[in-house]
Amino acid sequence: MHNVYDCVEAFEKLLDKEYHLVLGRKNTAVSLQINFDKKECFHLMGLQYLTDRPELVRDRGKIFDAIRERQIMAEHLQSSDLYYKIADRIDMLPFLESMIDSKEDISAVHFSRRIKWITLRIRHHGLYCIRRKYLFQQEKKKYCMTD
């Protein structure tokens, strides 16, 4: 089982990377450009759901830095009564780079004008977990969220 330190460490490796994905289905192709900002890690880990943790009420980038520097302790976050809501996200986020890099793990399942989503087939220790990832497009910016 991973913790927030593992997530921040893995996400930090993505900060200087940019992905350009072309996904297609039934003669329709969608081009996605994915960039990473340390403020986005907060939401990908699901920390917004830990409303009982006062140390998480500040700038998301500073929270990322505080976790990396061990000023926010993983044990404190895990002691939250609401941690069960994000445990799966915390466990899977360190695999994000390998999931994006693996051609077998990404498939397009639906396109619409406003919302595009992809399904990541995640192979984790011999088990498969299918998670839908929503990509919202707004004014040429892409936002990545999990369900």
Side-chain angles (χ1 to χ4, degrees):
M1 192 95 183
H2 291 106
N3 60 38
V4 292
Y5 304 139
D6 301 323
C7 293
V8 166
E9 182 180 319
F11 199 82
E12 193 167 30
K13 294 175 185 174
L14 294 170
L15 294 178
D16 63 344
K17 294 190 174 145
E18 180 178 289
Y19 286 91
H20 183 86
L21 304 173
V22 179
L23 303 173
R25 180 174 173 234
K26 294 185 180 179
N27 297 324
T28 303
V30 174
S31 176
L32 300 172
Q33 181 177 336
I34 303 173
N35 301 306
F36 298 92
D37 183 288
K38 63 183 179 180
K39 292 181 179 184
E40 296 165 352
C41 189
F42 179 89
H43 289 284
L44 290 174
M45 286 191 288
L47 296 179
Q48 71 273 18
Y49 295 113
L50 302 186
T51 56
D52 59 345
R53 300 306 316 174
E55 65 268 34
L56 299 178
V57 183
R58 59 179 161 154
D59 178 78
R60 307 307 189 222
K62 291 181 180 177
I63 292 170
F64 181 91
D65 293 336
I67 292 171
R68 184 184 61 222
E69 296 164 8
R70 306 296 203 264
Q71 294 170 355
I72 294 179
M73 303 299 295
E75 297 78 19
H76 292 153
L77 300 179
Q78 291 167 343
S79 70
S80 167
D81 291 337
L82 303 168
Y83 190 80
Y84 71 93
K85 290 183 173 186
I86 68 168
D88 287 342
R89 289 182 184 214
I90 298 293
D91 195 36
M92 296 307 293
L93 187 59
F95 299 110
L96 182 61
E97 182 176 17
S98 64
M99 288 185 277
I100 294 173
D101 287 342
S102 172
K103 293 177 184 175
E104 294 83 34
D105 288 343
I106 299 178
S107 64
V109 294
H110 179 78
F111 301 113
S112 69
R113 292 185 110 175
R114 304 187 104 191
I115 300 174
K116 300 168 179 63
W117 63 77
I118 60 177
T119 299
L120 299 179
R121 283 187 289 264
I122 303 163
R123 186 173 183 175
H124 178 58
H125 300 295
L127 301 173
Y128 281 93
C129 172
I130 297 177
R131 303 271 311 198
R132 180 172 287 165
K133 308 291 181 199
Y134 294 91
L135 294 164
F136 294 89
Q137 182 176 347
Q138 179 181 25
E139 297 177 20
K140 299 183 181 180
K141 294 182 181 177
K142 276 60 171 189
Y143 301 93
C144 182
M145 302 178 72
T146 59
D147 61 336

